[in-house]
Amino acid sequence: MGQVIAIVPAAGKGVRMGLKGPGKQFVHLAGKPVLAHTLLALEASAQIDGIIVVIGQDQVKLGWHVVNSYSVGKVQAVIPGGRTRQESVWAGLQHVPDDTEIVLVHDGARPLAKTELIDAAIQAARTYGAVGVAVPVKDTIKVRDVAGFVASTPPRDSLWAIQTPQAFHYSILHEAHTRANESGCVGTDDCMLVEKLGKPVQLIEGSYRNIKLTTPEDLIVASALLASDEPEDDGQERQSPTVTRVGWGYDIHRLVEGRPLILGGVEIPYHQGLLGHSDADVLLHAVMDSLLGAMALGDIGQHFPDTDMRWRGANSLHLLQQVNKILIRSSGTLPKISHIDCVIIAERPRLAPYLLQMRLNIAEALGLTVDQVSIKATTAEGLGPAGQGEGIIAQAIAAILA
Ligand code: CTP
Ligand code: MG
């Protein structure tokens, strides 16, 4: 038997996700970048011999960084992709060794695929030559015409939503791509190209949990699904929580030229930044004070005094992790943060595109799911220091079951 090689297309721009920054492949979920979740599921397959990661043109270094940070030893190459998913898979195929028997293609943006599903696809490809993982559609599907009217309603019983992994005999996938390139056919998945060859494609049942991260709400669903994968019992004794304690945090920092603007751990492009001893992340400071306040543990000024050089330029996300440890240490039981709600008051810049990444950062630092962290942004209608653009204010409220 020849080798089994996995190609991971992760070179998309994530337009529908609408995130700024390096893109959805690098968003952190449950403490790891999306790409790391995907690669580790492939790494854990006893059947896979090598992995080829296809990444954005300027992200090869970042890709290797993820591979090395999570010790994904099977990765043989991290290469730049193309303009379409198909071009990216084709780029990956150029790096597949000659003695390859099976090629498995699995989207970088599907971090929830289980290793068992990957193995099942490989096994089925040995029998059928071309295999896609799919699930029966839940909704009734309509075909819509250009004028917006329903053209037809295919019977739901026969409709399946295709996912990845998809696995193929190397020769079949290579031929399918070669033929598609020659004829100018563009497919959104690899099975489609094999279908065009007129060869059979077997569908095996996938999982509704194996979602593709496409639009922002998918991150919330994935975060909840990953949290539900965590072992229920972490071996720590804990008493059942009895009371809900609430804490409030407030902070204000001055806006000045020549400093980066960091809010919720996100660096936001703006000509001014916040002045302060640490990174001056006013939002995280308010969050930390709300958590400390809920447990009557003072404020961040006491725990991280600005006279202490250790906190000079400190990354406030690290300080937030420290606060989480302080909560755990100081409490007889393990305090359970049930929710944090924040508001940022800033006249400019527009913060809406960055709020989701801020929520993900806070959730990750505290071991929460993203739905447990809410952030709102508002202007001050030109009133007061925030309204006049002299500074940014943040307020936070935290509820802790203790
Ligand atoms: N992909 C790729 N190269 C491209 C386009 C997509 O490798 N030129 C990858 C994506 O990174 C993703 C998978 O193919 O892992 C599925 O594509 P999709 O969900 O469409 O991701 P994006 O193209 O990044 O998102 P969008 O279409 O919203 O821009
Ligand atoms: Mg796309």
Side-chain angles (χ1 to χ4, degrees):
M1 274 195 307
Q3 296 199 60
V4 177
I5 301 293
I7 296 177
V8 179
K13 293 209 174 352
V15 173
R16 286 168 289 174
M17 190 60 79
L19 287 178
K20 305 273 167 168
K24 61 186 180 181
Q25 302 80 309
F26 297 100
V27 164
H28 274 65
L29 285 177
K32 285 198 242 351
V34 164
L35 184 61
H37 284 285
T38 308
L39 294 179
L40 288 170
L42 295 165
E43 177 83 5
S45 160
Q47 304 201 46
I48 291 179
D49 299 300
I51 303 172
I52 293 161
V53 182
V54 191
I55 201 90
Q57 299 278 350
D58 51 358
Q59 294 185 327
V60 172
K61 249 195 182 156
L62 204 53
W64 272 119
H65 179 70
V66 170
V67 169
N68 294 330
S69 304
Y70 293 90
S71 309
V72 193
K74 289 183 185 171
V75 171
Q76 298 175 340
V78 177
I79 55 159
R83 278 166 305 159
T84 60
R85 183 185 179 283
Q86 187 173 318
E87 282 183 16
S88 294
V89 174
W90 178 245
L93 275 172
Q94 309 314 303
H95 285 72
V96 167
D98 291 340
D99 63 342
T100 298
E101 180 199 3
I102 302 285
V103 176
L104 177 119
V105 184
H106 182 46
D107 288 341
R110 278 192 203 266
L112 283 140
K114 298 267 189 226
T115 303
E116 297 83 64
L117 187 60
I118 291 163
D119 285 342
I122 295 169
Q123 214 41 52
R126 291 209 162 96
T127 311
Y128 298 105
V131 169
V133 160
V135 285
V137 298
K138 296 183 191 180
D139 295 319
T140 295
I141 305 287
K142 303 278 179 192
V143 177
R144 199 178 84 147
D145 68 17
V146 280
F149 294 104
V150 173
S152 63
T153 305
R156 196 176 61 194
D157 298 354
S158 64
L159 293 175
W160 288 64
I162 192 79
Q163 306 179 333
T164 67
Q166 299 181 359
F168 310 88
H169 278 161
Y170 175 36
S171 56
I172 294 180
L173 187 64
H174 197 275
E175 187 190 350
H177 271 264
T178 307
R179 202 68 82 70
N181 292 344
E182 284 162 7
S183 65
C185 157
V186 178
T188 46
D189 77 325
D190 298 280
C191 285
M192 191 173 149
L193 306 184
V194 176
E195 291 158 50
K196 296 259 178 210
L197 285 184
K199 296 210 162 145
V201 175
Q202 173 80 12
L203 293 184
I204 63 170
E205 186 145 3
S207 160
Y208 288 117
R209 296 171 67 95
N210 178 24
I211 61 169
K212 179 162 70 67
L213 304 182
T214 309
T215 53
E217 51 281 350
D218 295 332
L219 292 177
I220 296 168
V221 175
S223 163
L225 287 170
L226 284 164
S228 71
D229 277 348
E230 307 262 301
E232 297 275 300
D233 183 7
D234 57 10
Q236 306 213 31
E237 287 249 334
R238 69 180 79 183
Q239 294 166 8
S240 52
T242 46
V243 287
T244 301
R245 302 181 60 128
V246 173
W248 186 62
Y250 169 93
D251 199 16
I252 179 166
H253 279 266
R254 189 179 287 280
L255 274 169
V256 293
E257 301 290 331
R259 292 260 304 176
L261 176 60
I262 298 170
L263 289 173
V266 180
E267 187 165 341
I268 295 165
Y270 193 51
H271 66 96
Q272 291 180 310
L274 294 172
L275 185 65
H277 185 64
S278 66
D279 60 4
D281 191 325
V282 66
L283 174 64
L284 296 189
H285 294 182
V287 168
M288 288 188 260
D289 268 358
S290 71
L291 294 168
L292 291 168
M295 302 306 284
L297 288 168
D299 61 24
I300 48 169
Q302 291 165 24
H303 293 278
F304 314 109
D306 59 11
T307 47
D308 189 332
M309 290 312 283
R310 266 186 303 167
W311 314 125
R312 184 136 184 234
N315 178 339
S316 293
L317 278 173
H318 294 158
L319 301 185
L320 184 59
Q321 289 168 335
Q322 294 293 323
V323 165
N324 204 23
K325 286 188 189 143
I326 293 168
L327 295 182
I328 292 167
R329 269 205 306 272
S330 65
S331 163
T333 62
L334 259 182
K336 197 167 177 295
I337 300 167
S338 67
H339 190 75
I340 297 171
D341 183 31
C342 318
V343 58
I344 310 172
I345 306 160
E347 210 63 16
R348 267 179 300 272
R350 213 175 94 75
L351 298 176
Y354 307 100
L355 297 182
L356 179 61
Q357 185 62 60
M358 294 181 202
R359 294 169 63 198
L360 288 161
N361 288 348
I362 294 171
E364 189 200 343
L366 296 170
L368 303 176
T369 56
V370 70
D371 59 313
Q372 291 176 286
V373 182
S374 145
I375 305 175
K376 310 175 299 293
T378 183
T379 64
E381 301 286 325
L383 299 169
Q388 294 292 314
E390 291 167 52
I392 293 182
I393 296 171
Q395 302 183 354
I397 188 163
I400 298 184
L401 303 171

